[in-house]
Amino acid sequence: MKKAIYILIIFTFFQASAQRNYTKTYFKNGQLQAEGWLSKKQKVDYWFYYYENGYKKEEGHYEANKKCKWWVFYESNKEINKKSEFEDDQLNGFSLFYKKNKIIRAEKYSMGKKIKEWNSISEFKKDNTVNF
């Protein structure tokens, strides 16, 4: 009986791991373009995208081929441009904009529609209880 349970566990593990694989795509120049997890041909979990110069372009979570949770977007010189919350492939929550690694302004979205904008971090802090 124990042997049958062990075989079943091993079979389940290998079957589950075969359904999910880490994939990479490349630019024509050979530089890495994107990398992340696929499950049943859909993007899942964490993904990274790159500029042709090799620096990160953006990174974040996917669920069933749709952006979700927090994403980080970079300038081509490695500096963070913005961090944004997504749900079901749409902006949903805050987008924080950066300059020289400091937050300079913010926006709030509800399922892709901008509902609020703050043009300074002091304005943003007045309306929100977010720790930095």
Side-chain angles (χ1 to χ4, degrees):
M1 180 67 171
K2 280 186 177 182
K3 191 174 187 178
I5 291 172
Y6 288 130
I7 291 172
L8 182 60
I9 290 171
I10 290 171
F11 178 75
T12 303
F13 172 76
F14 283 113
Q15 186 177 6
S17 65
Q19 292 176 355
R20 191 172 157 234
N21 62 337
Y22 200 79
T23 188
K24 295 179 180 184
T25 59
Y26 296 89
F27 290 106
K28 288 181 181 178
N29 67 5
Q31 269 305 83
L32 186 60
Q33 182 178 27
E35 62 181 320
W37 291 98
L38 288 175
S39 178
K40 298 177 184 172
K41 298 183 182 179
Q42 291 194 337
K43 294 175 184 173
V44 296
D45 298 331
Y46 213 78
W47 275 75
F48 297 92
Y49 293 89
Y50 301 92
Y51 291 103
E52 281 192 73
N53 65 10
Y55 295 151
K56 266 192 261 182
K57 182 177 184 178
E58 60 188 76
E59 62 182 293
H61 299 271
Y62 276 102
E63 188 175 290
N65 230 27
K66 295 181 179 181
K67 287 181 178 177
C68 64
K69 302 179 185 178
W70 280 97
W71 277 72
V72 181
F73 299 87
Y74 298 88
E75 298 288 346
S76 59
N77 65 359
K78 300 185 192 179
E79 287 188 11
I80 294 174
N81 179 24
K82 71 179 175 176
K83 294 180 182 177
S84 298
E85 288 181 283
F86 284 84
E87 183 179 329
D88 202 24
D89 219 24
Q90 296 183 59
L91 287 167
N92 192 53
F94 292 111
S95 278
L96 306 173
F97 294 82
Y98 290 76
K99 187 171 189 174
K100 297 184 181 178
N101 294 318
K102 293 194 188 262
I103 299 171
I104 57 168
R105 65 185 188 89
E107 297 173 346
K108 188 169 186 178
Y109 290 84
S110 178
M111 296 312 288
K113 294 184 178 158
K114 188 181 348 178
I115 58 173
K116 184 84 174 172
E117 184 175 329
W118 299 270
N119 291 311
S120 73
I121 194 62
S122 59
E123 287 178 27
F124 178 77
K125 285 182 178 180
K126 285 180 192 174
D127 291 347
N128 300 284
T129 55
V130 178
N131 292 325
F132 294 100

